[in-house]
Amino acid sequence: MLVRKVPGFVPASPWGLRLPHKFLFLLFLSGLVTLCFGALFLLPHSSRLKRLFSASRTQQPGLEVMAEIAGHRSVSEQEPPPNPAPAAPAPGEDDPSRLLGALRRKGWLRRTRPTGPREEGNRVAALRPQEESVRFSFDYSGFRSRLRHPVLGTRTDESKESQSLVRAQREKIKEMMRFSWQNYRRYAMGKNELRPLTKDGFQGSMFGGLSGATIIDSLDTLYLMELKEEFQEAKAWVQDSFHLNVSGEASLFEVNIRYIGGLLSAFYLTGEEVFRVKAIKLGEKLLPAFNTPTGIPKGVVNFKSGSWGWATAGSSSILAEFGSLHLEFLHLTELSGNPVFAEKVRNIRKVLREIDKPFGLYPNFLSPVSGNWVQHHVSVGGLGDSFYEYLIKSWLMSAKTDTEAKNMYYEALEAIETYLVNVSPGGLTYIAEWRGGILDHKMGHLACFSGGMIALGAEDAKEDKRAYYRELAAQITRTCHESYARSDTKLGPEAFWFNSGREAVATQLSESYYILRPEVVESYMYLWRQTHDPIYREWGWEVVMALEKHCRTEAGFSGIQDVYSNNPNHDNRQQSFFLAETLKYLYLLFSEDDVLSLEDWVFNTEAHPLPVNHSDSSSIAGHRH
């Protein structure tokens, strides 16, 4: 140091400064620091610095959700810190302010009062998470007033109906639901599913550590069937025991359709705030799956790291999975005021709209990195099914304003009709699978939903195609009934073929099982509501009787391993979708048309009802709810 070279200088400290010098130096330094910080706080427009140091004063209990507007994530009480904020929108995504405005114009986003000023540049105001949770309020009363029918239908005179066959059939299905729930509650409460033979619960790993799949899946069915005590049990578990601080790897698709769908539906049916809060907080945990170069999400999300699951690091995304998020994510935006959910699914739509499609068909596998199809396997059954379903239901849920979804649906349906629909030598209409131009003449049980889907969309097809689509829906549904009728148990196999002189039957044991699937009775319900042909109720009752005979056990319902056996073995699983879908669709099949009216509700692919977006001007006055 320079001071060490001065003659006669004796260092007073290791730094070579005497005490007076140190005092002057520290005084100068403290003054400099004070000047700098004072200047920062006195500068105009220092909102970013103020957000850094300022904290919200109050937070309304129970409404800690939901703000990720302009990239700011919400803070969840009693949960671990939220995942890192998702990446910026992929190129071509809608700007948040324009998307928010569009959602408001279409009626998807309603606030009961303003949420505060906008920042410079006309961007959406980046409110602090605590402020957003207090300021945002969903107008539940307004929503209910816009429904065109009472949720549970117009009450009939039970004294006149008490002896009717249909009422007795409906009560039987209600008893099956009560039996399924009571055994689940007794032996597996809090687990994901009941194992009725061993009388215990099954947890599995598909949901990343989340529990209670059967509870969430059952909420709306219990409400629909007016099983009030059981519904309160389910609600109490959600309130007290449904925790989101889990750290496993979860299926984006399954968590969305079962948990998010079930919670959204329960909120819309009841207005109970706990369901809305849980749905949005869980939805936020799914957002990291979208952090890919294309915005097409990976199939698995790690709840702990907020990254993709390791098992999907180099894999493709599945059409039915990333294509079955649209309904739920639009409602997450509706209930939270956070446009990020709608942005994510609109970007998926954009990618699919712009990509080249072989012969107008959508293959089942897409790279989320390159945005290219990985292989040309097309199926309306597993891997592809609910993508098509969500297109027509997006059109219907938007009160027929989402013309993009409508156009994509009918274009896809025309390609399916041209290249996949076949008629067997025995006169059975079926939808084959397509592998690079070569057809597999088989149809999966999962594809049997398509009869109902085509019937649902027939009304809005081109006028010269409407009658054809209604007939096509009926013929496909008849074929699926035949797959049940040609088995010894009168339940359908997982897949059935049309070759070598055998039609609508499985050709190997590995495809002969039945796991309480709903797709066939789903189509019966839609065809009944469109035609009121009694054959659909007859076929539905055949399923009820077969379930009672072959699937009911001492402690719940179980799938069976071989539908062609007179005494089949059970698989020891009461699937959560049996309570969410199979029993719900059967109950609706034997109910009046205004019970969960199709004018007011669409069902997600787990049969959770989500409301149609009726605008104020289109609602019909005079209905009481």
Side-chain angles (χ1 to χ4, degrees):
M1 292 179 63
L2 179 62
V3 291
R4 292 185 185 270
K5 297 182 180 180
V6 178
F9 179 80
V10 179
S13 75
W15 286 2
L17 292 176
R18 294 181 182 272
L19 188 59
H21 297 157
K22 288 176 61 178
F23 175 79
L24 291 174
F25 177 79
L26 291 174
L27 183 63
F28 171 79
L29 183 61
S30 62
L32 182 61
V33 170
T34 301
L35 178 64
C36 291
F37 273 84
L40 284 173
F41 276 102
L42 290 172
L43 285 174
H45 308 299
S46 56
S47 59
R48 181 175 300 176
L49 191 65
K50 291 178 182 177
R51 282 200 301 270
L52 179 65
F53 287 100
S54 301
S56 172
R57 295 173 183 170
T58 60
Q59 183 173 359
Q60 181 176 340
L63 291 178
E64 67 274 22
V65 284
M66 0 182 164
E68 191 179 331
I69 295 179
H72 291 269
R73 300 289 300 272
S74 70
V75 177
S76 303
E77 291 184 0
Q78 299 179 349
E79 301 292 349
N83 293 325
E93 279 191 86
D94 291 332
D95 176 75
S97 62
R98 290 191 290 116
L99 177 60
L100 196 57
L103 290 169
R104 286 188 178 124
R105 288 193 299 274
K106 293 182 178 181
W108 274 114
L109 200 57
R110 295 184 177 90
R111 297 176 186 264
T112 57
R113 56 186 178 273
T115 57
R118 295 177 179 268
E119 289 188 355
E120 296 176 351
N122 200 32
R123 294 186 295 117
V124 178
L127 298 173
R128 292 189 296 277
Q130 295 90 340
E131 291 181 337
E132 179 69 8
S133 66
V134 171
R135 291 179 180 230
F136 185 85
S137 177
F138 177 75
D139 183 8
Y140 185 77
S141 296
F143 150 69
R144 288 297 291 259
S145 71
R146 288 187 292 273
L147 295 178
R148 299 180 176 183
H149 302 274
V151 172
L152 299 181
T154 303
R155 296 328 219 184
T156 60
D157 185 345
E158 293 191 3
S159 64
K160 296 180 180 178
E161 194 198 18
S162 59
Q163 301 302 318
S164 75
L165 173 62
V166 171
R167 178 174 174 79
Q169 291 171 318
R170 188 166 64 246
E171 287 300 311
K172 175 57 185 175
I173 297 162
K174 182 175 178 178
E175 183 278 328
M176 294 167 70
M177 179 66 187
R178 183 186 293 112
F179 176 76
S180 301
W181 172 263
Q182 289 176 346
N183 280 283
Y184 168 78
R185 181 191 60 198
R186 180 177 181 182
Y187 298 113
M189 189 68 173
K191 298 294 185 181
N192 282 321
E193 290 170 330
L194 166 67
R195 298 197 297 184
L197 301 187
T198 52
K199 298 181 180 179
D200 59 6
F202 174 78
Q203 190 68 7
S205 59
M206 182 166 59
F207 306 119
L210 294 173
S211 297
T214 291
I215 299 172
I216 307 295
D217 254 352
S218 298
L219 284 163
D220 49 23
T221 309
L222 294 171
Y223 182 88
L224 167 67
M225 296 184 184
E226 298 184 85
L227 294 169
K228 298 178 182 179
E229 180 180 342
E230 291 83 355
F231 178 82
Q232 290 302 321
E233 292 168 349
K235 174 192 164 186
W237 184 90
V238 173
Q239 183 125 26
D240 301 333
S241 303
F242 182 44
H243 303 300
L244 305 183
N245 53 335
V246 294
S247 58
E249 293 186 350
S251 164
L252 171 68
F253 169 74
E254 296 291 351
V255 170
N256 177 63
I257 66 170
R258 300 196 201 202
Y259 285 90
I260 301 288
L263 291 166
L264 290 172
S265 176
F267 172 73
Y268 281 118
L269 291 174
T270 68
E272 296 283 357
E273 191 70 10
V274 62
F275 301 130
R276 179 175 78 119
V277 171
K278 294 283 188 179
I280 296 164
K281 289 163 69 176
L282 183 54
E284 289 176 345
K285 292 176 72 70
L286 299 181
L287 290 174
F290 294 82
N291 293 343
T292 67
T294 60
I296 297 294
K298 286 283 190 174
V300 174
V301 61
N302 187 304
F303 282 147
K304 183 177 182 179
S305 67
S307 62
W308 313 330
W310 69 269
T312 64
S315 63
S316 304
S317 295
I318 296 172
L319 179 67
E321 295 187 348
F322 66 79
S324 303
L325 304 168
H326 205 93
L327 305 183
E328 297 85 356
F329 272 50
L330 286 188
H331 278 289
L332 287 174
T333 283
E334 163 75 350
L335 295 183
S336 69
N338 184 350
V340 69
F341 299 108
E343 290 171 9
K344 298 303 183 187
V345 293
R346 291 190 188 282
N347 179 65
I348 293 173
R349 176 87 62 81
K350 179 177 182 291
V351 171
L352 290 174
R353 186 182 69 245
E354 295 179 353
I355 192 173
D356 288 334
K357 292 167 276 290
F359 303 100
L361 298 168
Y362 289 83
N364 292 334
F365 300 99
L366 184 74
S367 168
V369 176
S370 68
N372 297 322
W373 303 116
V374 175
Q375 55 179 277
H376 288 180
H377 173 217
V378 179
S379 170
V380 180
L383 305 177
D385 48 6
S386 48
F387 161 68
Y388 306 99
E389 174 188 1
Y390 272 39
L391 287 178
I392 187 61
K393 289 182 177 178
S394 292
W395 159 248
L396 297 172
M397 194 177 79
S398 71
K400 302 185 178 181
T401 61
D402 186 354
T403 55
E404 181 180 65
K406 175 187 178 183
N407 293 337
M408 290 175 68
Y409 169 75
Y410 288 111
E411 290 167 3
L413 186 58
E414 287 185 6
I416 290 167
E417 169 195 343
T418 301
Y419 296 102
L420 303 185
V421 172
N422 280 261
V423 179
S424 72
L428 296 180
T429 301
Y430 62 97
I431 303 178
E433 297 187 6
W434 189 85
R435 297 180 184 274
I438 300 173
L439 291 182
D440 283 341
H441 292 276
K442 77 167 184 177
M443 193 168 174
H445 194 293
L446 289 167
C448 284
F449 88 99
S450 59
M453 176 188 73
I454 294 169
L456 190 63
E459 178 183 350
D460 296 315
K462 296 176 182 177
E463 188 172 354
D464 61 342
K465 301 280 284 187
R466 292 173 189 170
Y468 168 75
Y469 283 142
R470 291 190 182 101
E471 180 62 20
L472 177 61
Q475 290 302 319
I476 290 172
T477 303
R478 172 175 169 259
T479 296
C480 291
H481 170 259
E482 284 298 312
S483 76
Y484 276 52
R486 298 183 185 194
S487 77
D488 294 87
T489 59
K490 306 307 175 188
L491 295 167
E494 183 70 4
F496 46 94
W497 291 76
F498 302 84
N499 55 26
S500 303
R502 304 183 68 189
E503 297 184 0
V505 294
T507 59
Q508 50 192 347
L509 185 61
S510 62
E511 296 176 334
S512 299
Y513 59 88
Y514 172 73
I515 58 172
L516 308 175
R517 286 203 186 277
E519 289 78 21
V520 173
V521 297
E522 175 183 353
S523 285
Y524 293 170
M525 189 276 290
Y526 282 114
L527 268 293
W528 162 256
R529 288 208 172 180
Q530 286 225 340
T531 68
H532 286 179
D533 186 334
I535 193 64
Y536 298 112
R537 280 183 167 173
E538 291 176 22
W539 290 350
W541 192 245
E542 290 173 3
V543 175
V544 171
M545 293 294 95
L547 288 168
E548 283 285 292
K549 181 177 180 179
H550 297 291
C551 299
R552 187 166 182 144
T553 73
E554 178 186 349
F557 284 86
S558 171
I560 56 177
Q561 295 177 0
D562 184 4
V563 298
Y564 302 107
S565 169
N566 286 316
N567 188 25
N569 294 320
H570 293 100
D571 67 8
N572 197 25
R573 288 279 295 280
Q574 181 176 277
Q575 303 277 353
S576 77
F577 56 68
F578 178 67
L579 292 82
E581 300 184 73
T582 310
L583 293 177
K584 183 187 286 115
Y585 284 132
L586 283 169
Y587 187 84
L588 291 172
L589 176 61
F590 292 95
S591 299
E592 296 301 316
D593 291 357
D594 62 354
V595 178
L596 289 180
S597 169
L598 298 181
E599 286 190 83
D600 287 326
W601 304 90
V602 297
F603 294 92
N604 85 338
T605 199
E606 191 79 354
H608 295 306
L610 300 172
V612 171
N613 176 33
H614 295 308
S615 66
D616 293 336
S617 60
S618 67
S619 62
I620 297 177
H623 289 290
R624 298 172 62 187
H625 306 287

